[in-house]
Amino acid sequence: MKIDPSSPADLSVQIAAAIRDAIVSGQLIVDQRLPSEAELCAQFDVGRTTVREALKRLAAQSLIRTQRGATGGAFVNRLSFEEAYSQQITTSTLLLSMNAVSFETACEARYALERACAPLSAIRRSADHLATMRAEIHRQGQPGLTDEAFCASDVAFHRALVDGAGNPVMSYQLAGAVEAMQPLMNMITFTARSRERIIALHSRIADALEAQTAPETEAALSELEGYTLTLGRDVMARRAQARAAP
Amino acid sequence: MKIDPSSPADLSVQIAAAIRDAIVSGQLIVDQRLPSEAELCAQFDVGRTTVREALKRLAAQSLIRTQRGATGGAFVNRLSFEEAYSQQITTSTLLLSMNAVSFETACEARYALERACAPLSAIRRSADHLATMRAEIHRQGQPGLTDEAFCASDVAFHRALVDGAGNPVMSYQLAGAVEAMQPLMNMITFTARSRERIIALHSRIADALEAQTAPETEAALSELEGYTLTLGRDVMARRAQARAAP
DNA sequence: TATCTTCATATGTCTGACAATTAGGATTTG
DNA sequence: CAAATCCTAATTGTCAGACATATGAAGATA
């Protein structure tokens, strides 16, 4: 692990990159302790501030964790699925909010990915997953439910569908789609949507999964996509109209 | 934006979280300049070290960028698709290498997601995408190609398929699947695979996309999945045998 | 043996200093 | 006057040293 003090890049960036490479390439393995800050200072011939900033960069990416005290230090962190989920959700949320992604594009991606779970979920969904879905459907039907709560329940429903596929890698990959895009869509469509219709489609999905019929699940998801898309376009059109004649 | 000095959490973590929240919630918008380090020190009533570590954490997540000089400072960064791609690839790679994900699980997720692109790609793939795929197929057939180069070409081929869907959100979501899992699979199967067979399947996929027939594309992908799975199992079995009788 | 104390070690934070970079204004020069 | 140059102020990057805080381990004590 070496750095170039004459490089224009910040030293802390270079040090972080060097350590990251060592982790990714397997030179440093999970739970292994990194040298102490003082040792890293000596190794890279830099001040402690610089080493610390490099370590904070890595900590921000969940690559390491630090512990204070006598036997403390920085340790290579086992990246858990949970941490990866939440990172993906933040990244997806920002990506969508900062890049002018059209409603159509986000909607298309979200449902295409979710349909990919349908065949697996139809085979593997457990009673637990079905129970979660039914419970969320029931909650969605309760009068007086706020829009926020309905949206959260909506996310939980789709989450159960995705998790039903019993593939943690897919659940991770879809975290962004479900937990970042769904709220975004809800935010756009909540004024216009019919809860009844959504609940009916959710029920159809749950029924299809219970019957383990993948094509029907996919069909219901496609219909939900179509409905969401129509809603989105309606809202957009209304907004454009409002802007044109205020 | 407030922090709690009596909290057990590190101050720099709290400050980073406060600023992150402000960005995600839209209080700070893209390209907006954050207060200078000195101002942030005063605002949070902490030392400059602490503020700087917080800013480095955010920089590591591409949430801000910093610039030196008179009109410099920290600015809210527009998270580009490219940055998001590379973050996803690193995360996916680590997630797979650190969490004992079975070959079957990774393979299943990867092809399920890629099949989700097939219908869109069959409709939208441009001549460019087809040309890329054909070029990669040609390269894959050249004798003397190293395993690394074959793997890279393999990734490029699948990447073109995914990009052919013309949906940047899907391309982003699939970056991890293609660029992290594909190399992993190649690493496992390269000793046993038949390049001819893979090339034949790639050609079948390219033909199907050229003819814009989604089902045939999906079928070819499924066959590729099946072949990859068989290979993986063979290799695993051979390894187990080698361990049992060395 | 069980509990308490002390200590060494490590990270977390603060202060002050200086270096490096950069934009913009002031000054000099043709 | 215009252009080039220099100067200056603002800002981040790095460093050194100090102290605060947390924590495990060894030693002292009941």
Side-chain angles (χ1 to χ4, degrees), chain A residues 52-53 56-57 63 78-79 88 92 94 98-99 105 108-109 124 167 169-170 172-173 181, chain B residues 52-53 56-57 63 78-79 88 92 94 98-99 105 108-109 124 167 169-170 172-173 181:
Chain A
R52 280 184 60 79
E53 287 185 1
K56 295 312 138 198
R57 293 184 126 98
L63 284 173
R78 173 180 306 273
L79 186 62
Q88 241 237 301
S92 300
L94 284 168
M98 287 181 173
N99 282 282
T105 304
E108 175 179 281
R124 303 217 190 106
N167 186 315
V169 178
M170 288 208 73
Y172 155 67
Q173 294 280 355
M181 295 192 214
Chain B
R52 280 185 60 80
E53 286 185 2
K56 296 311 139 198
R57 294 183 126 99
L63 285 173
R78 160 166 272 119
L79 184 63
Q88 242 238 300
S92 299
L94 284 168
M98 288 180 170
N99 281 283
T105 303
E108 177 178 280
R124 302 217 192 106
N167 186 314
V169 177
M170 286 207 75
Y172 155 69
Q173 294 281 354
M181 295 194 214

mmCIF file of all heavy atoms in Angstrom, chain A residues 52-53 56-57 63 78-79 88 92 94 98-99 105 108-109 124 167 169-170 172-173 181, chain B residues 52-53 56-57 63 78-79 88 92 94 98-99 105 108-109 124 167 169-170 172-173 181:
data_model
loop_
_atom_site.group_PDB
_atom_site.id
_atom_site.type_symbol
_atom_site.label_atom_id
_atom_site.label_comp_id
_atom_site.label_asym_id
_atom_site.label_seq_id
_atom_site.Cartn_x
_atom_site.Cartn_y
_atom_site.Cartn_z
ATOM 1 N N ARG A 52 -6.959 9.939 9.805
ATOM 2 C CA ARG A 52 -8.307 9.868 10.351
ATOM 3 C C ARG A 52 -9.352 10.204 9.291
ATOM 4 O O ARG A 52 -10.387 9.548 9.198
ATOM 5 C CB ARG A 52 -8.452 10.806 11.546
ATOM 6 C CG ARG A 52 -7.879 10.212 12.830
ATOM 7 C CD ARG A 52 -8.139 11.125 14.010
ATOM 8 N NE ARG A 52 -9.545 11.339 14.236
ATOM 9 C CZ ARG A 52 -10.337 10.479 14.851
ATOM 10 N NH1 ARG A 52 -9.848 9.348 15.296
ATOM 11 N NH2 ARG A 52 -11.600 10.755 15.029
ATOM 12 N N GLU A 53 -9.083 11.218 8.488
ATOM 13 C CA GLU A 53 -10.055 11.558 7.453
ATOM 14 C C GLU A 53 -10.213 10.411 6.459
ATOM 15 O O GLU A 53 -11.313 10.128 5.996
ATOM 16 C CB GLU A 53 -9.634 12.850 6.741
ATOM 17 C CG GLU A 53 -9.857 14.068 7.625
ATOM 18 C CD GLU A 53 -9.559 15.388 6.913
ATOM 19 O OE1 GLU A 53 -9.202 15.376 5.729
ATOM 20 O OE2 GLU A 53 -9.688 16.435 7.574
ATOM 21 N N LYS A 56 -12.409 7.856 8.122
ATOM 22 C CA LYS A 56 -13.814 8.279 8.165
ATOM 23 C C LYS A 56 -14.483 8.064 6.819
ATOM 24 O O LYS A 56 -15.654 7.718 6.746
ATOM 25 C CB LYS A 56 -13.923 9.758 8.556
ATOM 26 C CG LYS A 56 -13.434 10.072 9.963
ATOM 27 C CD LYS A 56 -13.992 9.124 10.971
ATOM 28 C CE LYS A 56 -12.918 8.726 11.962
ATOM 29 N NZ LYS A 56 -13.226 7.508 12.718
ATOM 30 N N ARG A 57 -13.723 8.289 5.760
ATOM 31 C CA ARG A 57 -14.272 8.044 4.421
ATOM 32 C C ARG A 57 -14.676 6.582 4.289
ATOM 33 O O ARG A 57 -15.754 6.263 3.777
ATOM 34 C CB ARG A 57 -13.224 8.369 3.355
ATOM 35 C CG ARG A 57 -12.868 9.829 3.267
ATOM 36 C CD ARG A 57 -11.889 10.070 2.121
ATOM 37 N NE ARG A 57 -12.385 11.092 1.221
ATOM 38 C CZ ARG A 57 -12.017 12.371 1.251
ATOM 39 N NH1 ARG A 57 -11.143 12.791 2.138
ATOM 40 N NH2 ARG A 57 -12.534 13.219 0.412
ATOM 41 N N LEU A 63 -17.153 0.223 5.098
ATOM 42 C CA LEU A 63 -16.069 -0.713 4.818
ATOM 43 C C LEU A 63 -15.318 -1.070 6.087
ATOM 44 O O LEU A 63 -14.748 -2.150 6.193
ATOM 45 C CB LEU A 63 -15.097 -0.113 3.792
ATOM 46 C CG LEU A 63 -15.612 -0.120 2.361
ATOM 47 C CD1 LEU A 63 -14.674 0.633 1.452
ATOM 48 C CD2 LEU A 63 -15.749 -1.556 1.884
ATOM 49 N N ARG A 78 -17.814 -6.532 8.022
ATOM 50 C CA ARG A 78 -18.588 -7.401 7.141
ATOM 51 C C ARG A 78 -19.790 -6.613 6.669
ATOM 52 O O ARG A 78 -20.643 -6.228 7.462
ATOM 53 C CB ARG A 78 -19.046 -8.661 7.867
ATOM 54 C CG ARG A 78 -19.990 -9.515 7.032
ATOM 55 C CD ARG A 78 -20.427 -10.762 7.772
ATOM 56 N NE ARG A 78 -19.298 -11.532 8.237
ATOM 57 C CZ ARG A 78 -18.657 -12.459 7.525
ATOM 58 N NH1 ARG A 78 -19.044 -12.725 6.319
ATOM 59 N NH2 ARG A 78 -17.637 -13.095 8.011
ATOM 60 N N LEU A 79 -19.838 -6.332 5.387
ATOM 61 C CA LEU A 79 -20.947 -5.561 4.848
ATOM 62 C C LEU A 79 -22.201 -6.415 4.913
ATOM 63 O O LEU A 79 -22.305 -7.419 4.220
ATOM 64 C CB LEU A 79 -20.648 -5.167 3.399
ATOM 65 C CG LEU A 79 -21.646 -4.249 2.735
ATOM 66 C CD1 LEU A 79 -21.720 -2.924 3.469
ATOM 67 C CD2 LEU A 79 -21.280 -4.028 1.286
ATOM 68 N N GLN A 88 -28.294 1.507 -0.524
ATOM 69 C CA GLN A 88 -28.926 1.505 -1.843
ATOM 70 C C GLN A 88 -30.143 2.413 -1.869
ATOM 71 O O GLN A 88 -30.399 3.101 -2.860
ATOM 72 C CB GLN A 88 -29.334 0.075 -2.204
ATOM 73 C CG GLN A 88 -28.628 -0.391 -3.451
ATOM 74 C CD GLN A 88 -29.592 -0.820 -4.503
ATOM 75 O OE1 GLN A 88 -30.380 -1.712 -4.292
ATOM 76 N NE2 GLN A 88 -29.505 -0.172 -5.662
ATOM 77 N N SER A 92 -30.453 5.512 -4.307
ATOM 78 C CA SER A 92 -31.534 5.523 -5.296
ATOM 79 C C SER A 92 -32.402 6.759 -5.133
ATOM 80 O O SER A 92 -32.770 7.410 -6.118
ATOM 81 C CB SER A 92 -32.402 4.275 -5.143
ATOM 82 O OG SER A 92 -31.638 3.114 -5.344
ATOM 83 N N LEU A 94 -31.625 9.695 -3.895
ATOM 84 C CA LEU A 94 -30.944 10.890 -4.376
ATOM 85 C C LEU A 94 -30.836 10.894 -5.888
ATOM 86 O O LEU A 94 -31.034 11.915 -6.537
ATOM 87 C CB LEU A 94 -29.557 10.974 -3.757
ATOM 88 C CG LEU A 94 -29.557 11.435 -2.312
ATOM 89 C CD1 LEU A 94 -28.203 11.223 -1.694
ATOM 90 C CD2 LEU A 94 -29.946 12.905 -2.251
ATOM 91 N N MET A 98 -32.435 13.922 -7.996
ATOM 92 C CA MET A 98 -31.493 14.905 -8.542
ATOM 93 C C MET A 98 -31.324 14.824 -10.041
ATOM 94 O O MET A 98 -30.612 15.632 -10.614
ATOM 95 C CB MET A 98 -30.112 14.701 -7.918
ATOM 96 C CG MET A 98 -29.996 15.140 -6.483
ATOM 97 S SD MET A 98 -28.323 14.855 -5.913
ATOM 98 C CE MET A 98 -28.389 15.629 -4.300
ATOM 99 N N ASN A 99 -31.930 13.854 -10.690
ATOM 100 C CA ASN A 99 -31.593 13.659 -12.090
ATOM 101 C C ASN A 99 -32.768 13.705 -13.052
ATOM 102 O O ASN A 99 -32.689 13.182 -14.150
ATOM 103 C CB ASN A 99 -30.842 12.336 -12.264
ATOM 104 C CG ASN A 99 -29.394 12.467 -11.849
ATOM 105 O OD1 ASN A 99 -28.584 13.003 -12.591
ATOM 106 N ND2 ASN A 99 -29.089 12.032 -10.642
ATOM 107 N N THR A 105 -40.122 6.446 -16.836
ATOM 108 C CA THR A 105 -38.898 5.652 -16.737
ATOM 109 C C THR A 105 -38.810 4.932 -15.391
ATOM 110 O O THR A 105 -38.525 3.735 -15.326
ATOM 111 C CB THR A 105 -37.669 6.565 -16.909
ATOM 112 O OG1 THR A 105 -37.788 7.254 -18.163
ATOM 113 C CG2 THR A 105 -36.397 5.773 -16.885
ATOM 114 N N GLU A 108 -41.514 2.199 -15.157
ATOM 115 C CA GLU A 108 -41.176 1.048 -15.997
ATOM 116 C C GLU A 108 -40.121 0.175 -15.330
ATOM 117 O O GLU A 108 -40.261 -1.048 -15.266
ATOM 118 C CB GLU A 108 -40.655 1.570 -17.342
ATOM 119 C CG GLU A 108 -40.163 0.510 -18.284
ATOM 120 C CD GLU A 108 -39.690 1.145 -19.596
ATOM 121 O OE1 GLU A 108 -40.548 1.466 -20.419
ATOM 122 O OE2 GLU A 108 -38.468 1.328 -19.772
ATOM 123 N N ALA A 109 -39.073 0.815 -14.822
ATOM 124 C CA ALA A 109 -37.988 0.060 -14.201
ATOM 125 C C ALA A 109 -38.493 -0.680 -12.969
ATOM 126 O O ALA A 109 -38.229 -1.869 -12.780
ATOM 127 C CB ALA A 109 -36.848 1.002 -13.816
ATOM 128 N N ARG A 124 -41.841 -19.814 -3.977
ATOM 129 C CA ARG A 124 -41.215 -19.900 -2.661
ATOM 130 C C ARG A 124 -41.901 -19.159 -1.527
ATOM 131 O O ARG A 124 -41.533 -19.338 -0.378
ATOM 132 C CB ARG A 124 -39.784 -19.353 -2.753
ATOM 133 C CG ARG A 124 -38.930 -20.043 -3.776
ATOM 134 C CD ARG A 124 -37.515 -20.176 -3.295
ATOM 135 N NE ARG A 124 -36.668 -20.628 -4.403
ATOM 136 C CZ ARG A 124 -35.808 -19.852 -5.049
ATOM 137 N NH1 ARG A 124 -35.656 -18.599 -4.678
ATOM 138 N NH2 ARG A 124 -35.092 -20.334 -6.043
ATOM 139 N N ASN A 167 -34.643 -14.818 -2.137
ATOM 140 C CA ASN A 167 -33.291 -14.610 -2.665
ATOM 141 C C ASN A 167 -32.760 -13.280 -2.142
ATOM 142 O O ASN A 167 -33.160 -12.221 -2.621
ATOM 143 C CB ASN A 167 -33.333 -14.627 -4.197
ATOM 144 C CG ASN A 167 -31.937 -14.570 -4.812
ATOM 145 O OD1 ASN A 167 -31.101 -13.783 -4.378
ATOM 146 N ND2 ASN A 167 -31.703 -15.404 -5.801
ATOM 147 N N VAL A 169 -30.099 -11.702 -2.523
ATOM 148 C CA VAL A 169 -29.448 -10.838 -3.510
ATOM 149 C C VAL A 169 -30.498 -10.037 -4.274
ATOM 150 O O VAL A 169 -30.337 -8.839 -4.510
ATOM 151 C CB VAL A 169 -28.575 -11.667 -4.473
ATOM 152 C CG1 VAL A 169 -27.956 -10.765 -5.527
ATOM 153 C CG2 VAL A 169 -27.500 -12.406 -3.716
ATOM 154 N N MET A 170 -31.581 -10.678 -4.630
ATOM 155 C CA MET A 170 -32.648 -9.949 -5.322
ATOM 156 C C MET A 170 -33.279 -8.926 -4.390
ATOM 157 O O MET A 170 -33.589 -7.808 -4.808
ATOM 158 C CB MET A 170 -33.723 -10.914 -5.827
ATOM 159 C CG MET A 170 -33.274 -11.731 -6.996
ATOM 160 S SD MET A 170 -34.645 -12.226 -8.041
ATOM 161 C CE MET A 170 -35.062 -10.694 -8.832
ATOM 162 N N TYR A 172 -31.897 -7.352 -2.076
ATOM 163 C CA TYR A 172 -30.972 -6.219 -2.010
ATOM 164 C C TYR A 172 -31.083 -5.372 -3.271
ATOM 165 O O TYR A 172 -31.212 -4.149 -3.208
ATOM 166 C CB TYR A 172 -29.543 -6.729 -1.820
ATOM 167 C CG TYR A 172 -28.490 -5.795 -2.316
ATOM 168 C CD1 TYR A 172 -28.266 -4.568 -1.695
ATOM 169 C CD2 TYR A 172 -27.723 -6.108 -3.442
ATOM 170 C CE1 TYR A 172 -27.307 -3.690 -2.170
ATOM 171 C CE2 TYR A 172 -26.765 -5.240 -3.917
ATOM 172 C CZ TYR A 172 -26.564 -4.029 -3.284
ATOM 173 O OH TYR A 172 -25.624 -3.164 -3.757
ATOM 174 N N GLN A 173 -31.052 -6.018 -4.407
ATOM 175 C CA GLN A 173 -31.087 -5.265 -5.660
ATOM 176 C C GLN A 173 -32.376 -4.478 -5.793
ATOM 177 O O GLN A 173 -32.410 -3.404 -6.397
ATOM 178 C CB GLN A 173 -30.956 -6.219 -6.860
ATOM 179 C CG GLN A 173 -29.622 -6.924 -6.954
ATOM 180 C CD GLN A 173 -28.536 -6.033 -7.556
ATOM 181 O OE1 GLN A 173 -28.803 -4.927 -7.986
ATOM 182 N NE2 GLN A 173 -27.314 -6.524 -7.557
ATOM 183 N N MET A 181 -38.411 4.238 -5.072
ATOM 184 C CA MET A 181 -39.317 4.658 -6.150
ATOM 185 C C MET A 181 -40.768 4.661 -5.717
ATOM 186 O O MET A 181 -41.534 5.535 -6.123
ATOM 187 C CB MET A 181 -39.159 3.721 -7.341
ATOM 188 C CG MET A 181 -37.769 3.825 -7.943
ATOM 189 S SD MET A 181 -37.680 3.019 -9.528
ATOM 190 C CE MET A 181 -36.016 2.392 -9.474
ATOM 191 N N ARG B 52 -14.684 18.745 9.727
ATOM 192 C CA ARG B 52 -14.018 18.202 8.546
ATOM 193 C C ARG B 52 -14.271 16.705 8.410
ATOM 194 O O ARG B 52 -14.532 16.216 7.304
ATOM 195 C CB ARG B 52 -12.520 18.480 8.611
ATOM 196 C CG ARG B 52 -12.175 19.894 8.186
ATOM 197 C CD ARG B 52 -10.683 20.104 8.148
ATOM 198 N NE ARG B 52 -10.024 19.208 7.218
ATOM 199 C CZ ARG B 52 -9.971 19.399 5.907
ATOM 200 N NH1 ARG B 52 -10.558 20.451 5.387
ATOM 201 N NH2 ARG B 52 -9.366 18.548 5.123
ATOM 202 N N GLU B 53 -14.224 15.976 9.511
ATOM 203 C CA GLU B 53 -14.492 14.543 9.415
ATOM 204 C C GLU B 53 -15.916 14.293 8.937
ATOM 205 O O GLU B 53 -16.171 13.369 8.158
ATOM 206 C CB GLU B 53 -14.232 13.869 10.762
ATOM 207 C CG GLU B 53 -12.738 13.757 11.052
ATOM 208 C CD GLU B 53 -12.428 12.986 12.316
ATOM 209 O OE1 GLU B 53 -13.361 12.496 12.974
ATOM 210 O OE2 GLU B 53 -11.236 12.873 12.655
ATOM 211 N N LYS B 56 -15.943 14.853 5.220
ATOM 212 C CA LYS B 56 -15.289 13.764 4.492
ATOM 213 C C LYS B 56 -16.218 12.574 4.367
ATOM 214 O O LYS B 56 -16.217 11.865 3.372
ATOM 215 C CB LYS B 56 -13.994 13.342 5.187
ATOM 216 C CG LYS B 56 -12.921 14.424 5.227
ATOM 217 C CD LYS B 56 -12.706 15.050 3.877
ATOM 218 C CE LYS B 56 -12.535 16.543 4.031
ATOM 219 N NZ LYS B 56 -12.728 17.283 2.794
ATOM 220 N N ARG B 57 -16.993 12.337 5.407
ATOM 221 C CA ARG B 57 -17.963 11.242 5.346
ATOM 222 C C ARG B 57 -18.941 11.471 4.206
ATOM 223 O O ARG B 57 -19.262 10.563 3.440
ATOM 224 C CB ARG B 57 -18.736 11.146 6.665
ATOM 225 C CG ARG B 57 -17.907 10.742 7.853
ATOM 226 C CD ARG B 57 -18.773 10.591 9.102
ATOM 227 N NE ARG B 57 -18.587 9.283 9.709
ATOM 228 C CZ ARG B 57 -17.783 9.065 10.754
ATOM 229 N NH1 ARG B 57 -17.130 10.054 11.302
ATOM 230 N NH2 ARG B 57 -17.645 7.854 11.233
ATOM 231 N N LEU B 63 -22.058 12.852 -1.747
ATOM 232 C CA LEU B 63 -23.141 13.789 -1.473
ATOM 233 C C LEU B 63 -22.667 15.227 -1.631
ATOM 234 O O LEU B 63 -23.457 16.111 -1.946
ATOM 235 C CB LEU B 63 -23.683 13.575 -0.049
ATOM 236 C CG LEU B 63 -24.550 12.345 0.110
ATOM 237 C CD1 LEU B 63 -24.896 12.112 1.566
ATOM 238 C CD2 LEU B 63 -25.819 12.532 -0.694
ATOM 239 N N ARG B 78 -24.417 16.869 -7.452
ATOM 240 C CA ARG B 78 -25.451 16.155 -8.196
ATOM 241 C C ARG B 78 -24.957 14.733 -8.383
ATOM 242 O O ARG B 78 -23.953 14.493 -9.040
ATOM 243 C CB ARG B 78 -25.709 16.838 -9.542
ATOM 244 C CG ARG B 78 -26.379 15.910 -10.537
ATOM 245 C CD ARG B 78 -26.940 16.622 -11.738
ATOM 246 N NE ARG B 78 -28.288 17.069 -11.490
ATOM 247 C CZ ARG B 78 -28.700 18.328 -11.506
ATOM 248 N NH1 ARG B 78 -27.857 19.288 -11.766
ATOM 249 N NH2 ARG B 78 -29.942 18.627 -11.259
ATOM 250 N N LEU B 79 -25.647 13.788 -7.782
ATOM 251 C CA LEU B 79 -25.240 12.388 -7.886
ATOM 252 C C LEU B 79 -25.504 11.931 -9.309
ATOM 253 O O LEU B 79 -26.651 11.827 -9.730
ATOM 254 C CB LEU B 79 -26.045 11.544 -6.892
ATOM 255 C CG LEU B 79 -25.666 10.084 -6.803
ATOM 256 C CD1 LEU B 79 -24.242 9.942 -6.297
ATOM 257 C CD2 LEU B 79 -26.606 9.346 -5.882
ATOM 258 N N GLN B 88 -22.501 1.237 -6.687
ATOM 259 C CA GLN B 88 -23.269 -0.001 -6.616
ATOM 260 C C GLN B 88 -22.401 -1.210 -6.897
ATOM 261 O O GLN B 88 -22.541 -2.259 -6.269
ATOM 262 C CB GLN B 88 -24.403 0.062 -7.638
ATOM 263 C CG GLN B 88 -25.754 -0.013 -6.973
ATOM 264 C CD GLN B 88 -26.560 -1.163 -7.471
ATOM 265 O OE1 GLN B 88 -26.858 -1.248 -8.651
ATOM 266 N NE2 GLN B 88 -26.926 -2.055 -6.565
ATOM 267 N N SER B 92 -21.904 -4.163 -4.308
ATOM 268 C CA SER B 92 -22.328 -5.509 -4.680
ATOM 269 C C SER B 92 -21.173 -6.492 -4.595
ATOM 270 O O SER B 92 -21.327 -7.608 -4.084
ATOM 271 C CB SER B 92 -22.881 -5.509 -6.110
ATOM 272 O OG SER B 92 -24.000 -4.670 -6.208
ATOM 273 N N LEU B 94 -18.503 -6.371 -2.715
ATOM 274 C CA LEU B 94 -18.180 -6.685 -1.325
ATOM 275 C C LEU B 94 -19.254 -7.539 -0.684
ATOM 276 O O LEU B 94 -18.967 -8.471 0.056
ATOM 277 C CB LEU B 94 -18.008 -5.390 -0.538
ATOM 278 C CG LEU B 94 -16.691 -4.680 -0.797
ATOM 279 C CD1 LEU B 94 -16.720 -3.286 -0.223
ATOM 280 C CD2 LEU B 94 -15.557 -5.486 -0.177
ATOM 281 N N MET B 98 -18.285 -11.133 0.852
ATOM 282 C CA MET B 98 -18.211 -11.221 2.317
ATOM 283 C C MET B 98 -19.346 -12.006 2.946
ATOM 284 O O MET B 98 -19.352 -12.187 4.154
ATOM 285 C CB MET B 98 -18.253 -9.813 2.919
ATOM 286 C CG MET B 98 -16.997 -9.022 2.716
ATOM 287 S SD MET B 98 -17.191 -7.405 3.455
ATOM 288 C CE MET B 98 -15.509 -6.795 3.349
ATOM 289 N N ASN B 99 -20.321 -12.427 2.176
ATOM 290 C CA ASN B 99 -21.507 -12.976 2.815
ATOM 291 C C ASN B 99 -21.874 -14.387 2.380
ATOM 292 O O ASN B 99 -23.000 -14.806 2.520
ATOM 293 C CB ASN B 99 -22.703 -12.044 2.584
ATOM 294 C CG ASN B 99 -22.664 -10.859 3.515
ATOM 295 O OD1 ASN B 99 -22.991 -10.970 4.684
ATOM 296 N ND2 ASN B 99 -22.203 -9.735 2.998
ATOM 297 N N THR B 105 -27.805 -18.854 -5.727
ATOM 298 C CA THR B 105 -28.556 -17.645 -5.401
ATOM 299 C C THR B 105 -28.135 -16.476 -6.283
ATOM 300 O O THR B 105 -28.976 -15.762 -6.843
ATOM 301 C CB THR B 105 -28.324 -17.281 -3.921
ATOM 302 O OG1 THR B 105 -28.699 -18.389 -3.118
ATOM 303 C CG2 THR B 105 -29.138 -16.064 -3.525
ATOM 304 N N GLU B 108 -29.235 -17.093 -9.936
ATOM 305 C CA GLU B 108 -30.683 -16.922 -10.075
ATOM 306 C C GLU B 108 -31.057 -15.444 -10.134
ATOM 307 O O GLU B 108 -31.825 -15.012 -11.009
ATOM 308 C CB GLU B 108 -31.374 -17.580 -8.880
ATOM 309 C CG GLU B 108 -32.861 -17.425 -8.829
ATOM 310 C CD GLU B 108 -33.430 -18.152 -7.618
ATOM 311 O OE1 GLU B 108 -33.578 -19.378 -7.693
ATOM 312 O OE2 GLU B 108 -33.711 -17.499 -6.593
ATOM 313 N N ALA B 109 -30.506 -14.662 -9.200
ATOM 314 C CA ALA B 109 -30.830 -13.240 -9.149
ATOM 315 C C ALA B 109 -30.358 -12.536 -10.420
ATOM 316 O O ALA B 109 -31.094 -11.765 -11.043
ATOM 317 C CB ALA B 109 -30.186 -12.596 -7.925
ATOM 318 N N ARG B 124 -36.437 -1.715 -27.842
ATOM 319 C CA ARG B 124 -35.738 -0.434 -27.949
ATOM 320 C C ARG B 124 -34.286 -0.509 -28.391
ATOM 321 O O ARG B 124 -33.689 0.526 -28.685
ATOM 322 C CB ARG B 124 -35.759 0.271 -26.588
ATOM 323 C CG ARG B 124 -37.132 0.511 -26.051
ATOM 324 C CD ARG B 124 -37.212 1.825 -25.330
ATOM 325 N NE ARG B 124 -38.473 1.892 -24.588
ATOM 326 C CZ ARG B 124 -38.582 1.777 -23.270
ATOM 327 N NH1 ARG B 124 -37.480 1.614 -22.543
ATOM 328 N NH2 ARG B 124 -39.759 1.846 -22.686
ATOM 329 N N ASN B 167 -33.358 2.353 -20.476
ATOM 330 C CA ASN B 167 -33.893 2.878 -19.220
ATOM 331 C C ASN B 167 -32.728 3.042 -18.239
ATOM 332 O O ASN B 167 -32.248 2.055 -17.671
ATOM 333 C CB ASN B 167 -34.949 1.917 -18.666
ATOM 334 C CG ASN B 167 -35.642 2.475 -17.443
ATOM 335 O OD1 ASN B 167 -34.992 2.992 -16.542
ATOM 336 N ND2 ASN B 167 -36.960 2.368 -17.408
ATOM 337 N N VAL B 169 -32.503 3.996 -15.265
ATOM 338 C CA VAL B 169 -32.736 3.497 -13.916
ATOM 339 C C VAL B 169 -32.489 1.991 -13.861
ATOM 340 O O VAL B 169 -31.860 1.490 -12.926
ATOM 341 C CB VAL B 169 -34.166 3.838 -13.443
ATOM 342 C CG1 VAL B 169 -34.418 3.257 -12.068
ATOM 343 C CG2 VAL B 169 -34.374 5.339 -13.428
ATOM 344 N N MET B 170 -32.939 1.285 -14.869
ATOM 345 C CA MET B 170 -32.680 -0.159 -14.908
ATOM 346 C C MET B 170 -31.191 -0.416 -15.072
ATOM 347 O O MET B 170 -30.639 -1.319 -14.439
ATOM 348 C CB MET B 170 -33.447 -0.808 -16.053
ATOM 349 C CG MET B 170 -34.919 -0.920 -15.771
ATOM 350 S SD MET B 170 -35.666 -2.294 -16.651
ATOM 351 C CE MET B 170 -35.083 -3.663 -15.684
ATOM 352 N N TYR B 172 -28.800 1.317 -14.028
ATOM 353 C CA TYR B 172 -28.192 1.534 -12.714
ATOM 354 C C TYR B 172 -28.464 0.353 -11.792
ATOM 355 O O TYR B 172 -27.562 -0.175 -11.151
ATOM 356 C CB TYR B 172 -28.725 2.828 -12.101
ATOM 357 C CG TYR B 172 -28.667 2.868 -10.604
ATOM 358 C CD1 TYR B 172 -27.447 2.935 -9.938
ATOM 359 C CD2 TYR B 172 -29.828 2.825 -9.844
ATOM 360 C CE1 TYR B 172 -27.392 2.959 -8.560
ATOM 361 C CE2 TYR B 172 -29.780 2.849 -8.470
ATOM 362 C CZ TYR B 172 -28.564 2.909 -7.828
ATOM 363 O OH TYR B 172 -28.522 2.924 -6.466
ATOM 364 N N GLN B 173 -29.715 -0.054 -11.734
ATOM 365 C CA GLN B 173 -30.068 -1.143 -10.826
ATOM 366 C C GLN B 173 -29.338 -2.425 -11.193
ATOM 367 O O GLN B 173 -29.008 -3.230 -10.340
ATOM 368 C CB GLN B 173 -31.583 -1.402 -10.871
ATOM 369 C CG GLN B 173 -32.423 -0.262 -10.333
ATOM 370 C CD GLN B 173 -32.471 -0.235 -8.812
ATOM 371 O OE1 GLN B 173 -31.958 -1.129 -8.142
ATOM 372 N NE2 GLN B 173 -33.065 0.806 -8.276
ATOM 373 N N MET B 181 -21.515 -9.606 -10.321
ATOM 374 C CA MET B 181 -21.780 -11.046 -10.290
ATOM 375 C C MET B 181 -21.157 -11.771 -11.468
ATOM 376 O O MET B 181 -20.667 -12.885 -11.323
ATOM 377 C CB MET B 181 -23.287 -11.280 -10.302
ATOM 378 C CG MET B 181 -23.953 -10.746 -9.053
ATOM 379 S SD MET B 181 -25.611 -11.357 -8.901
ATOM 380 C CE MET B 181 -26.388 -9.942 -8.139
#
